[in-house]
Amino acid sequence: MSTQQRKRLGDMLIEAGVLTAEQLAVTLEEKQQHMKLGDALLERGFITEQQLIEVLEIQLGIEQVSLYRYPIDTNLFTLIQKEQAQRNLIIPLKKEGDKLYVAMADPMDYFIIEDLRLSTGFNIKPVISTKDDIIRAVNKYYETEEGFEELKLDDKQEISNQDLTDMESPIIRLVNQLLSTATSQKASDIHIDPQETKVLFRIRVDGVLRTERILPKHIQGMLTARIKILANMDITEQRVPQDGRIKINVDYKPIDLRVSTLPTVYGEKLVLRILDLSSSLNDLHTLGFNQLNLKRFSSMIEKPTGIVLITGPTGSGKSSTLYAALNKLNSEDVNIITVEDPVEYQMEGINQIQVNANVGLTFAAGLRAILRQDPNIIMVGEIRDQETAEVAIRASLTGHLVLSTIHTNDSLSTITRLFDMDVEPFLIASSLSGVVAQRLVRKVCRDCAEKEKPSPREKEIFAKRGLSLETVTRGSGCASCNMTGYKGRIAIHEVLEIDEEMRRVILNNDAFSKLREIAIKNKTIFLLDDGLLKVKQGITTTEEILRVAME
C-alpha cells in the first residue's frame, strides 16, 4: 500500500468520527512494520471491524456482504482450495459471465486479486466481509458433510491406528475442522457430548453454551480416540476420568487445549478448554476495573507483605486478573514464584511450578519449597484446604506478598470460608490485605448497539441501589455477534479492603453482619453496584448483571 493510501485510511476514519487523531498517532508509532494499519487499530480496540469496513466501503466503492445467510455457490470451491481460502481470508460467492465475486477481508490486497485472476481465468470482483465471517463460512461450507460415509465401519472392523494418525484420514480432518470452528468463534470451551443416538458438538462463546453441530453416533469412538491420541492419553482406558493437554496450530495460530474426559452412560464426554496463547489480557487497565476499584486493588498488590485473594466461580477470569497483577509487579528487582495447577500461561521472568500430585508435589508442599527460594512475591493457584491456607497465610506474615484464588460467592464470605477451613482468626486478621470478587459479563456488541428507554423493573432495581437510569444499551443482533447482541466480555469487581476496624471484628470473631456494615461505610462497590454502573455506561445489560450477581 502506498503511503498516500495508508494516510487516507487513517484520515477517512478520523473524518468518519470513529477514531481520534491521538489514537491514530499512537497506533502508527507503536505498530510493527509489517502490520496493516487496520489490523493494528482493531487489535487496540479503537475501532470495530464493522466500522473499518463501512469506511472502506465508502472509500473504495466496494460493497459489503454479510455471509450470515448468503446463498454461496459451493460449485466454485473447485476454483479456490480450502487451504488458500483460510490463509488469505477469501471465499468465492458467485459468478456472472466472466466475473467472479470473491468476499475478502482485505480487498486492497492486489497481489491476491491478481493471483486469483491468473489461477481462475475470471475477472475478480472483490466484496468486503469481516474476518470472522469468512473463517466461519469457510469452516461451514468447505467439506462439511463429506467424510462421514467413509467412517461407517462394520462392527467386525477394528479402528486401525493408521486411521487415527494418517493426516489425510477423514476423522482427522473432522477434528481439525471442529477445532477451527471453535477457535474462529472465540470459544472458551468445546464440549463433545455423547447421547443415545447422536453426538453433540457444543461450544461456549462468551460464557454461554450452544450446540454448533450434531454428529452421527457411529463416529463417536474414532472421534474420542483421535482427541485422546492428540492429548497423549490412554485410549484403551474408558472407565476412569483422564486429563491431558494438546498444543496445536489451528488456522496458523498456536493454541493450547486442556482436555478432560469423563465416562458417562453413553460413552466418554470430552471437554476441551481453549487457552488462547496470543491473548492480551495481561494489562490491569483492560480488565474493566472501575477507577476506585483499580486504585484500591493497585494499593493492595503494591504492599510488600500480606495476602490478596481473588474469588469467583470457575471461568470468571480469576487467573487473568492474577496474571495481570503479576505482570504489573514483574520487574528485575523482585523474585516472583508461582505454584499452579496447571500452569495456564507461561510468563517471562516468572518462575512457575506445576502441581503434580502423583509425586507428592501438592500446593502446600510446593509452597514450603518456594519459601526456601527467597521469593518476594508468591502466587498460589488455588487455596483448597486448611494446610495450603495456613502455609500461605504464614508466608504472608513473614514478609512476602501472596496472591491466590479461592472459591466463594462474594468478597465477605471469603472470610467465613477461611474460618470454615479452621484457620485461626488472629492469622486471618493480621495477614489479609484484601479480597477481590469478580464475575464476567457479556458486553453489548458495538456494531448493533441501540439506546432505548429502561423498563420500570430496571428503574426499580437501580433506584433500590440509589442510582438513576436514563437510557440502556442493547444489541439488536447482527452477523458479527452471531445474532446474540453481545460480543466479548468484561469483568465486574467487588474490591474489599481490610482496614483496622474489620481486623478487630475478625479477631473477636464478631457477627458477620458487622463486617458488611463496615464495608458499606467504607464505600465498597459491591458486585451488583459495579455491574449497574457498567449498564449505565452502556457497556452491558441489566439481564447480564442479574445473571451473575444477586441482589
Side-chain angles (χ1 to χ4, degrees), residues 402-469:
V402 180
L403 304 172
S404 185
T405 67
I406 189 166
H407 283 273
T408 56
N409 278 335
D410 58 7
S411 56
L412 287 163
S413 55
T414 306
I415 296 167
T416 40
R417 176 93 178 87
L418 288 170
F419 281 148
D420 286 346
M421 287 181 173
D422 291 330
V423 180
E424 295 292 341
F426 71 88
L427 282 178
I428 300 174
S430 45
S431 66
L432 196 60
S433 301
V435 185
V436 179
Q438 90 171 44
R439 296 285 188 283
L440 288 179
V441 291
R442 293 184 291 169
K443 290 196 292 191
V444 174
C445 169
R446 277 165 63 176
D447 293 327
C448 57
E450 290 168 0
K451 287 200 175 349
E452 49 181 72
K453 286 262 179 286
S455 67
R457 173 88 181 101
E458 281 179 298
K459 281 187 172 155
E460 185 186 319
I461 293 169
F462 273 76
K464 242 188 218 164
R465 312 294 289 192
L467 295 165
S468 64
L469 183 64

Side-chain angles (χ1 to χ4, degrees), residues 11 223 403 425 427 471:
D11 293 343
L223 187 60
L403 304 172
L427 282 178
T471 58

Side-chain angles (χ1 to χ4, degrees), residues 49 75 117 136 300 332 484 491 498 519 530:
E49 212 171 347
N75 301 328
R117 191 180 69 78
R136 205 176 297 155
M300 276 194 255
E332 279 183 11
T484 54
I498 308 288
D530 190 29

Side-chain angles (χ1 to χ4, degrees), residues 165-218:
T165 48
D166 171 22
M167 289 322 282
E168 278 309 301
S169 95
I171 193 73
I172 290 184
R173 287 208 304 267
L174 175 69
V175 170
N176 292 349
Q177 200 185 327
L178 295 180
L179 291 178
S180 180
T181 303
T183 49
S184 70
Q185 309 219 13
K186 309 227 179 347
S188 58
D189 304 84
I190 300 173
H191 292 241
I192 292 171
D193 288 356
Q195 308 211 325
E196 197 171 3
T197 55
K198 56 183 184 285
V199 180
L200 296 183
F201 167 64
R202 302 194 295 166
I203 57 177
R204 189 182 292 280
V205 178
D206 288 343
V208 182
L209 255 183
R210 63 158 192 265
T211 303
E212 190 68 12
R213 272 173 81 174
I214 295 174
L215 305 168
K217 182 76 174 171
H218 67 258

Side-chain angles (χ1 to χ4, degrees), residues 105-127:
D106 179 11
M108 288 174 159
D109 201 324
Y110 300 113
F111 293 113
I112 295 178
I113 296 177
E114 190 54 22
D115 226 19
L116 286 176
R117 191 180 69 78
L118 292 171
S119 65
T120 62
F122 284 96
N123 279 332
I124 306 298
K125 293 283 286 184
V127 297

Side-chain angles (χ1 to χ4, degrees), residues 9-29:
L9 176 66
D11 293 343
M12 289 287 302
L13 290 165
I14 292 172
E15 274 165 37
V18 291
L19 190 69
T20 65
E22 294 84 59
Q23 289 174 327
L24 178 66
V26 167
T27 312
L28 285 171
E29 200 175 301

Side-chain angles (χ1 to χ4, degrees), residues 285-471:
H285 297 281
T286 56
L287 293 178
F289 271 101
N290 173 315
Q291 236 75 45
L292 176 67
N293 280 346
L294 184 63
K295 203 171 97 205
R296 288 183 172 178
F297 184 55
S298 299
S299 76
M300 276 194 255
I301 61 173
E302 278 158 10
K303 286 183 185 151
T305 64
I307 184 164
V308 178
L309 294 173
I310 299 186
T311 165
T314 319
S316 58
K318 297 189 295 289
S319 326
S320 296
T321 306
L322 272 180
Y323 283 121
L326 287 180
N327 205 31
K328 184 170 185 204
L329 299 167
N330 189 6
S331 63
E332 279 183 11
D333 47 8
V334 290
N335 176 16
I336 303 180
I337 307 185
T338 74
V339 51
E340 308 169 56
D341 176 24
V343 173
E344 287 190 21
Y345 299 101
Q346 279 129 17
M347 287 180 82
E348 214 170 308
I350 292 180
N351 312 289
Q352 295 169 292
I353 302 173
Q354 179 139 339
V355 169
N356 183 350
N358 302 336
V359 294
L361 176 57
T362 59
F363 275 125
L367 249 176
R368 287 200 179 90
I370 287 178
L371 289 173
R372 297 193 283 276
Q373 287 271 332
D374 174 38
N376 303 87
I377 298 165
I378 301 170
M379 182 209 19
V380 187
E382 192 184 334
I383 292 182
R384 294 180 188 163
D385 49 36
Q386 181 193 353
E387 194 185 5
T388 314
E390 292 218 327
V391 183
I393 284 176
R394 285 180 198 278
S396 70
L397 289 173
T398 52
H400 304 92
L401 171 66
V402 180
L403 304 172
S404 185
T405 67
I406 189 166
H407 283 273
T408 56
N409 278 335
D410 58 7
S411 56
L412 287 163
S413 55
T414 306
I415 296 167
T416 40
R417 176 93 178 87
L418 288 170
F419 281 148
D420 286 346
M421 287 181 173
D422 291 330
V423 180
E424 295 292 341
F426 71 88
L427 282 178
I428 300 174
S430 45
S431 66
L432 196 60
S433 301
V435 185
V436 179
Q438 90 171 44
R439 296 285 188 283
L440 288 179
V441 291
R442 293 184 291 169
K443 290 196 292 191
V444 174
C445 169
R446 277 165 63 176
D447 293 327
C448 57
E450 290 168 0
K451 287 200 175 349
E452 49 181 72
K453 286 262 179 286
S455 67
R457 173 88 181 101
E458 281 179 298
K459 281 187 172 155
E460 185 186 319
I461 293 169
F462 273 76
K464 242 188 218 164
R465 312 294 289 192
L467 295 165
S468 64
L469 183 64
E470 301 305 316
T471 58

